[in-house]
Amino acid sequence: MDMSIFTRDDLKDISFRKITPEKVINQIERFKKGMPFTRVVKPCTVNDGITHFDDADVERYAEIFSTAQKSGRCTKFVPASGAASRMFKLLLGAYADLESKGSADDGDKKLASFISELGQYAFYNELKDKMHDEGIDLYDCINSGQVKTILEFLLFEKGLDLSNLPKGLIPFHKYPDGSRTPFHKYPDGSRTPFEEHLVEALNYVRDENGRISVHFTVAPQHEDKIKEHINNVIPRYERAGDEFIITYSCQKPSTDTIAVDPQDNPFRDEDGALLFRPGGHGALIENLSDLAGDIIFIKNIDNITTDRNKGLTFKYKKALGGYLVSLQEKIFSYLKTLKEDSVNDQFIEDMFKFLRTRLSVIPEQKISGGTAEEKKQYLIDMLNRPLRVCGMVENTGAPGGGPFWVKHTGGGVSIQIVESSQIDLEKPDQSEILQSATHFNPVDLVCGVKDCDGNPFDLNRYIDHDAGFISVKSKNGRELKAMELPGLWNGSMAFWNTVFVEVPAGTFSPVKTIFDLMNDDHRM
C-alpha cells in the first residue's frame, strides 16, 4: 500500500476520524475496481423464497412471541437521522419561484391543493399560533392567496422551520377531540413520528415489568432537540408501572468514506484537505452491533400510521417476532447437537433440508461431495449467524429494493434484499428478473442478534463489502465520486440467515412527501 499519497495533515485527519490509512487505501482501490453487480437468479415469490401466513399461523406465532416479549428480550431500533427537506421539495421549489418570479408553477395543482387542505395537517394549529404571534392571520392569508407568507412561516426559521427539522419531529398525525379507537389511550392533539414509534413500542416491545426499550439513531446536530422532544412527550404515553428506556446513537465518523476525483485520486478541497462523506445508512450496522441486543425490531422513522390502522401492524409485528423465535429455537437445538454430539448421515441430511426449505440456502455443489466432518463444519458455520425475518409487501410500483434469489461467487444460492442499483440493467435477463418482481422491501425487520450461547454477534463480520454503491457528485463545481457503504438491510446483512414473510400492504405507510400525510393511512 502506497501511504505516500497522504500528507502529515491527512494522517492527522484520518486518525481524528478513527479511520486507519489502510482502510482509506482500500476504499480508493474499490473506486478503481468498481462495485460488482449482484447476480439475481429469479425474484422471490410466495412459496418460492417468501413464506405466507394464514390466520392460524399469525395467531400461533404471535402467541409464541408473547413469551419473548414478556421476558424483556425485545428492543425497537429506529433509524431517525433523516432530514425532512426532501418531504418539502415541491414547496421549497414553489417558494423559490415566488421569491424570484413572484409566481409559482402549480400546473399540477399540488401547491393549490396543499394550501386548500392546510387545515387538515397536524401542524396547522401550531402554524396558526406562530403567525398570530407575529400579528398575521393564517386564515386571511389562505383566503387572500398569500402563499409566499404561509410557506415562509411553515418552512423557515422565522416560523416552524419544518424543512430544517429531522423528519421525526414533524407533526404527522392529528387526533381530533373526542376520537376513540382501540389503541387511543393517549391525549388528543398532534403526534410526531417519534411519538407514534413510542406507541408502537408499548404494544410489542413492553416487557412484563413495564420496561419499553427503544433506540433511535439521530444526526448530531439534532440530537439535543430530539432528546428534549422525547423527554417532554414520554409522560403522555407512560402508564402506571411503565418505564421507557430510550437510548440514542449517531453515525460514527469512522464510517465516513473518502471521495475521489474522476481519476480515482483522493479529492481535495480548496485548502488541500481530504474530503470525507457520510457512508449512508449502511453505516448504522455498527450502531446496531454496539447495541448488543437480542430480538431487535427495525423500522424506518416515517413508516407509521394512526391508531385507527395500527391493529394490523401490531398483529404482524408479533407474528414475525414469533416466527423468528421459533426458527431460533430450532437453529440453536441443531447447533447444540452439531457441536456436542456425534451425528449420523440422516441428521446431516435433515440439516441440509432445513437450510434449503426454511432458510432458503442452496449450498454450492462441492459441499455435497465433502466428507461428513466437512459437511458438519459447513452446517455449523451457516447456522451460527445472525437471523432476520423480513416482512415483504406486494409490489405496487414503489421504487426501492426487493427480495431475490441471488447467486454467490462460490456457486451457492440464497435469498437477499437487492436494490435496483445493484443489478446490471444492461443485461436483458437481469432487467427482466427485476421487472418480474412481485414483492417490495418495506424495511420491516425482526432480527435475532445473539448466538446459541447468548452472546451478541459481531455484526461487522457478516457484511458483503462488495455491495456498496458509487455515485458521481460535485462540490463547488468540481466533479467527484462518492461511495456509500453496503445498505443496512441488503449488503450489511448479506451474510445473515434471512427469511421473507408476506405481510399486508396496510402495514406499510411511509411518508416521503408532505402530500402523503393526506393519504388514508395518516388520517383518523
Side-chain angles (χ1 to χ4, degrees):
M1 292 187 182
D2 183 10
M3 296 295 172
S4 64
I5 63 172
F6 298 130
T7 68
R8 184 175 300 177
D9 287 340
D10 292 342
L11 294 173
K12 286 181 180 178
D13 184 17
I14 291 169
S15 177
F16 176 77
R17 296 171 184 275
K18 297 185 178 179
I19 307 175
T20 64
E22 291 79 10
K23 185 174 182 180
V24 178
I25 291 288
N26 285 337
Q27 290 176 358
I28 294 171
E29 290 302 313
R30 286 188 180 278
F31 278 113
K32 292 178 179 179
K33 292 190 302 181
M35 296 290 184
F37 288 111
T38 298
R39 178 74 181 176
V40 292
V41 177
K42 58 182 176 178
C44 294
T45 56
V46 173
N47 297 323
D48 186 20
I50 300 177
T51 299
H52 174 78
F53 289 166
D54 59 27
D55 290 344
D57 292 328
V58 172
E59 296 299 325
R60 177 162 56 92
Y61 289 124
E63 184 62 31
I64 291 172
F65 172 71
S66 66
T67 301
Q69 178 187 348
K70 290 174 183 176
S71 66
R73 295 181 61 190
C74 302
T75 300
K76 186 173 171 65
F77 182 94
V78 184
S81 54
S85 53
R86 281 179 290 182
M87 275 183 66
F88 297 98
K89 182 178 179 181
L90 186 144
L91 299 185
L92 287 165
Y95 180 85
D97 287 343
L98 289 165
E99 183 89 325
S100 61
K101 300 185 300 187
S103 63
D105 178 13
D106 59 349
D108 60 4
K109 300 184 179 179
K110 280 192 172 183
L111 177 60
S113 174
F114 173 75
I115 296 299
S116 68
E117 295 177 329
L118 194 57
Q120 299 179 50
Y121 284 88
F123 45 74
Y124 176 82
N125 287 336
E126 190 179 355
L127 177 63
K128 180 178 67 174
D129 292 343
K130 190 72 172 180
M131 294 178 71
H132 182 268
D133 291 343
E134 298 296 321
I136 301 173
D137 188 288
L138 174 56
Y139 187 72
D140 287 345
C141 287
I142 293 173
N143 286 337
S144 59
Q146 297 181 53
V147 176
K148 181 172 177 287
T149 299
I150 295 171
L151 294 181
E152 197 168 28
F153 275 89
L154 179 74
L155 299 173
F156 304 121
E157 191 173 1
K158 73 178 297 180
L160 302 187
D161 203 24
L162 295 190
S163 68
N164 293 310
L165 291 179
K167 189 180 284 190
L169 289 180
I170 306 295
F172 266 27
H173 298 150
K174 183 178 181 180
Y175 290 86
D177 291 344
S179 63
R180 288 293 177 267
T181 72
F183 302 99
H184 194 254
K185 304 171 184 177
Y186 318 106
D188 296 317
S190 66
R191 286 190 209 154
T192 64
F194 283 112
E195 291 176 87
E196 296 291 16
H197 278 286
L198 295 180
V199 174
E200 282 202 10
L202 274 163
N203 284 273
Y204 56 82
V205 174
R206 182 182 184 275
D207 69 18
E208 61 184 356
N209 296 310
R211 291 186 295 253
I212 309 111
S213 176
V214 185
H215 184 88
F216 295 108
T217 65
V218 300
Q221 66 269 29
H222 296 136
E223 185 173 4
D224 290 343
K225 189 184 289 286
I226 289 170
K227 286 181 177 179
E228 179 183 10
H229 170 68
I230 291 177
N231 288 339
N232 286 338
V233 301
I234 275 178
R236 300 181 191 175
Y237 305 103
E238 281 184 336
R239 296 167 289 197
D242 285 346
E243 179 190 6
F244 275 100
I245 301 170
I246 310 294
T247 54
Y248 306 88
S249 64
C250 299
Q251 190 167 310
K252 299 177 181 179
S254 61
T255 62
D256 290 350
T257 58
I258 194 168
V260 298
D261 64 21
Q263 289 73 45
D264 297 319
N265 299 308
F267 185 96
R268 296 182 181 276
D269 64 19
E270 291 78 1
D271 298 324
L274 297 175
L275 177 65
F276 288 88
R277 296 171 56 89
H281 65 71
L284 298 180
I285 195 69
E286 293 206 10
N287 304 60
L288 188 66
S289 191
D290 289 346
L291 195 57
D294 185 357
I295 296 173
I296 302 179
F297 290 84
I298 302 179
K299 190 176 182 182
N300 278 339
I301 186 68
D302 65 359
N303 184 15
I304 39 87
T305 187
T306 61
D307 286 348
R308 179 171 63 88
N309 300 304
K310 281 192 175 77
L312 191 66
T313 294
F314 296 158
K315 183 164 71 170
Y316 272 86
K317 273 286 192 289
K318 294 174 181 179
L320 294 179
Y323 194 46
L324 180 131
V325 170
S326 67
L327 286 171
Q328 266 192 337
E329 290 174 349
K330 194 76 170 173
I331 290 170
F332 291 171
S333 173
Y334 285 155
L335 282 170
K336 182 178 180 181
T337 301
L338 285 166
K339 289 179 178 181
E340 297 178 1
D341 301 326
S342 58
V343 294
N344 57 33
D345 290 344
Q346 184 57 54
F347 184 84
I348 293 287
E349 182 54 39
D350 288 345
M351 297 302 91
F352 277 100
K353 182 178 180 181
F354 178 81
L355 274 183
R356 291 190 301 269
T357 61
R358 302 297 296 278
L359 300 182
S360 301
V361 174
I362 302 173
E364 53 268 38
Q365 190 67 35
K366 67 178 182 180
I367 298 299
S368 61
T371 66
E373 185 60 28
E374 287 172 338
K375 291 179 180 179
K376 179 178 175 180
Q377 289 304 314
Y378 174 83
L379 288 168
I380 290 173
D381 176 63
M382 293 304 297
L383 292 175
N384 192 32
R385 299 181 179 214
L387 172 68
R388 58 177 175 159
V389 175
C390 312
M392 293 290 158
V393 297
E394 283 193 28
N395 193 338
T396 57
F404 293 88
W405 289 88
V406 168
K407 188 176 184 63
H408 299 292
T409 304
V413 176
S414 69
I415 58 174
Q416 298 286 339
I417 296 171
V418 183
E419 302 291 332
S420 57
S421 60
Q422 295 176 261
I423 300 174
D424 187 354
L425 299 181
E426 293 187 2
K427 292 186 176 179
D429 66 316
Q430 296 292 282
S431 179
E432 183 178 344
I433 291 170
L434 176 64
Q435 296 301 319
S436 64
T438 61
H439 286 71
F440 172 79
N441 166 40
V443 189
D444 190 359
L445 285 70
V446 188
C447 303
V449 295
K450 282 190 175 180
D451 64 21
C452 59
D453 298 317
N455 301 311
F457 286 104
D458 176 4
L459 303 184
N460 293 294
R461 293 181 54 204
Y462 303 93
I463 300 171
D464 179 1
H465 294 283
D466 285 334
F469 180 70
I470 295 172
S471 59
V472 176
K473 306 283 185 180
S474 66
K475 182 174 175 62
N476 298 330
R478 296 167 56 204
E479 186 176 296
L480 61 84
K481 294 198 291 189
M483 180 187 300
E484 286 194 17
L485 298 174
L488 181 60
W489 38 81
N490 44 0
S492 285
M493 297 181 177
F495 301 130
W496 292 35
N497 283 321
T498 297
V499 176
F500 296 143
V501 175
E502 186 177 47
V503 296
T507 63
F508 182 47
S509 310
V511 176
K512 301 307 178 186
T513 74
I514 190 65
F515 311 106
D516 291 335
L517 291 174
M518 287 296 100
N519 294 341
D520 186 63
D521 292 339
H522 299 285
R523 299 205 198 201
M524 284 301 299

